């Protein structure tokens, strides 16, 4: 289903990622603060950001939706994060993965929750034909609160313990 990619919320402008967003991907994903709870750690090479931006652009081209570049409405053109939903293979099944990562300069303003609500609305618009899943580490309490604010349900039955961390799962439409 093809639909417009730009969404405006009370405080945010959400638009499809473009390849020129690679600089913003790099700034956000190489920052130690935005990767505090990321078991893989921050990006270490700018080429990773370029590849990530190309992949997100390809999602939009293939599916007509994907992760958004996030801007504050009152500061157009300045990317403060990335997030939304995109089709993914998770534990052997097709789902929409819900992601959200914002710059530390905007933390504490409720913008991640606003982004997640918009992403859940997009999931509903797409017809809910795939389950919506968000997961994070057990230590990442802010991310867990954001998933709950977006209306996702905590699913402890789907948590996964690895040798380095525990993933906690939130979902909608998942049996």
């Amino acid at each position: 289903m093809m639909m417009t990619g730009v969404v405006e919320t009370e405080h945010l402008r959400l638009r499809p990622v473009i390849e020129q967003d690679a600089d913003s991907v790099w700034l956000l994903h190489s920052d130690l603060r935005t990767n505090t709870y990321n078991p893989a750690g921050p990006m270490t090479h700018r080429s990773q950001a370029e590849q990530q931006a190309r992949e997100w652009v390809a999602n939009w081209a293939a599916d007509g939706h994907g992760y958004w570049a996030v801007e504050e409405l009152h500061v157009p053109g300045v990317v403060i994060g990335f997030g939304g939903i995109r089709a993914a293979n998770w534990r052997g099944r097709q789902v929409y993965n819900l992601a959200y990562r914002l710059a530390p300069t905007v933390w504490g303003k409720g913008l991640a929750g606003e982004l997640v609500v918009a992403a859940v609305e997009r999931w509903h618009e797409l017809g809910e034909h795939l389950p919506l899943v968000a997961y994070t580490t057990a230590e990442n309490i802010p991310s867990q609160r954001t998933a709950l604010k977006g209306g996702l349900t905590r699913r402890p039955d789907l948590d996964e313990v690895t040798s380095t961390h525990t993933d906690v799962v939130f979902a909608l439409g998942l049996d």
Side-chain angles (χ1 to χ4, degrees):
M1 173 184 296
M2 183 59 103
M3 58 186 62
T4 179
V6 177
V7 173
E8 289 189 357
T9 66
E10 183 178 354
H11 301 101
L12 301 174
R13 179 175 184 265
L14 311 170
R15 62 161 176 81
V17 174
I18 56 176
E19 286 193 34
Q20 291 81 357
D21 289 323
D23 288 336
S24 297
V25 173
W26 172 246
L27 287 173
L28 187 68
H29 291 269
S30 65
D31 189 321
L32 290 173
R33 296 168 295 173
T34 64
N35 285 278
T36 300
Y37 302 107
N38 182 354
M43 287 182 174
T44 55
H45 300 285
R46 192 174 186 302
S47 61
Q48 294 170 293
E50 293 166 357
Q51 176 58 37
Q52 188 68 83
R54 282 192 299 273
E55 184 178 321
W56 291 344
V57 168
N59 291 142
W60 279 95
D63 300 331
H65 61 273
Y67 293 155
W68 290 298
V70 180
E71 302 172 358
E72 288 183 276
L73 281 178
H74 71 278
V75 190
V78 177
V79 175
I80 60 164
F82 296 92
I85 65 172
R86 73 175 184 150
N89 186 305
W90 179 74
R91 298 184 187 173
R93 73 182 294 173
Q94 281 297 111
V95 301
Y96 283 119
N97 184 67
L98 171 64
Y100 38 95
R101 184 170 296 187
L102 299 177
T105 56
V106 299
W107 289 353
K109 295 182 175 182
L111 300 179
E114 196 169 315
L115 167 61
V116 168
V117 168
V120 171
E121 287 174 5
R122 177 57 51 104
W123 177 70
H124 288 297
E125 290 171 5
L126 292 170
E128 306 170 14
H129 69 279
L130 294 176
L132 181 62
V133 175
Y135 57 93
T136 188
T137 58
E139 298 79 20
N140 193 347
I141 303 303
S143 181
Q144 294 175 42
R145 287 185 188 132
T146 300
L148 290 171
K149 285 178 188 172
L152 278 77
T153 301
R154 176 74 174 89
R155 292 290 304 268
D157 57 308
L158 298 173
D159 290 355
E160 183 174 53
V161 179
T162 72
S163 62
T164 60
H165 67 280
T166 298
D167 278 336
V168 296
V169 178
F170 299 80
L172 287 173
L174 188 64
D175 298 328

